[in-house]
Amino acid sequence: MADTDIAPIMTTRREEATGFFQKLVSKGLGWARKYSLFTYPYATACCGMEYMSVAASRHDISRFGAEFPRFSPRQADLLMVVGTINLKQAPILKRVYEQMTEPKWVVAFGVCASSGGFYDNYAVLQGIDRIIPVDVYIPGCPPRPEQVLDGLMLLQDKIGNQVHRLRDPGQPNETAAHHARMLEAGK
C-alpha cells in the first residue's frame, strides 16, 4: 500500500486557488489581448475577397481590434486560414503556425478551410484541424462579413475568459535556451 493511498487528498478549485492579484492581472491581460489581435491572413482562394470586405469601411474589422494584418508570422498572434488548402500547402501552413509566438489562435475561414468544402479529392486537405489546432470555425462558402465578425467576437470571448499567467522568473526562457543550444552546436 502506497503512502498516497493512506493520506487524504485535498482538492481545490482552480478559481479559488488563484489569488486576488493573479485574477486581476489575468483579467487585464485577457482584456488587452482580446482587443489587440494581429492577424496573419493565409488567403489562398475565393474567400480572400470576403476577407478584404471585412476590412473595408462598411464592416470595419478595426472596431474589434484586429485591423492590422501582419505578413510575418513572428509578428502575428491570430492565423486566419482563408480558403482551400491543398496537400502541398499543408507543410507550409504548419511551418507558419509553428513560427508564430505564444499565445496564438487559429480561425478557419470558410467551409474549405474547415472541412475541405466540395473539393473531396486526393489533392485537398479535408480541414486544417488535421495539421494545426483550430479555435473558431466560420462556416459558409464564402462566409458573409457578418459571420466573420461573429466568429471574431467568439474568439475574443474565448481569449478574454482564458487564464493568463505572468511568467514565473524561476523557469528558464525556452526560446533563449534553444538559441543557446544552437550556438553551442555551431549552427
Side-chain angles (χ1 to χ4, degrees), residues 44-47 82-87 89 109-127 130 140-142:
T44 60
C46 49
C47 286
V82 182
T84 310
I85 302 298
N86 60 31
L87 292 177
Q89 293 171 329
F109 190 110
V111 72
C112 291
S114 300
S115 65
F118 54 86
Y119 300 110
D120 189 12
N121 60 25
Y122 65 92
V124 174
L125 184 66
Q126 299 299 308
R130 295 181 183 219
C141 183

Side-chain angles (χ1 to χ4, degrees), residues 13-25:
R13 296 180 67 190
R14 177 181 242 177
E15 300 88 33
E16 295 169 359
T18 58
F20 171 76
F21 181 69
Q22 186 176 357
K23 284 182 188 177
L24 190 65
V25 168

Side-chain angles (χ1 to χ4, degrees), residues 1 22 25 34 41 46 49 55 74 77 84 100 103 123 128 135-136 156 160 167 182:
M1 187 175 258
Q22 186 176 357
V25 168
K34 82 181 207 179
C46 49
M49 298 303 148
R74 291 176 182 88
D77 55 7
T84 310
M100 292 173 64
I128 62 167
D135 295 301
V136 175
Q156 285 179 329
R167 180 117 182 117
M182 297 299 278

Side-chain angles (χ1 to χ4, degrees), residues 62-77:
S62 63
R63 294 179 293 156
F64 300 95
E67 71 180 305
F68 294 118
R70 299 292 187 222
F71 297 103
S72 170
R74 291 176 182 88
Q75 296 176 352
D77 55 7

Side-chain angles (χ1 to χ4, degrees), residues 74-180:
R74 291 176 182 88
Q75 296 176 352
D77 55 7
L78 171 60
L79 176 62
M80 292 189 90
V81 181
V82 182
T84 310
I85 302 298
N86 60 31
L87 292 177
K88 286 186 177 182
Q89 293 171 329
I92 299 165
L93 177 62
K94 187 169 178 69
R95 180 179 292 162
V96 166
Y97 175 77
E98 289 170 351
Q99 288 177 351
M100 292 173 64
T101 59
E102 292 289 339
K104 54 188 167 186
W105 301 279
V106 178
V107 172
F109 190 110
V111 72
C112 291
S114 300
S115 65
F118 54 86
Y119 300 110
D120 189 12
N121 60 25
Y122 65 92
V124 174
L125 184 66
Q126 299 299 308
I128 62 167
D129 55 356
R130 295 181 183 219
I131 57 169
I132 58 175
V134 177
D135 295 301
V136 175
Y137 296 91
I138 301 174
C141 183
R144 298 261 319 136
E146 293 85 4
Q147 287 176 283
V148 177
L149 295 178
D150 286 343
L152 185 63
M153 288 190 294
L154 283 173
L155 181 67
Q156 285 179 329
D157 290 341
K158 183 176 183 177
I159 293 169
N161 293 331
Q162 287 178 345
V163 176
H164 303 277
R165 299 177 190 268
L166 291 176
R167 180 117 182 117
D168 185 12
Q171 294 178 341
N173 186 341
E174 297 169 10
T175 307
H178 176 69
H179 184 65

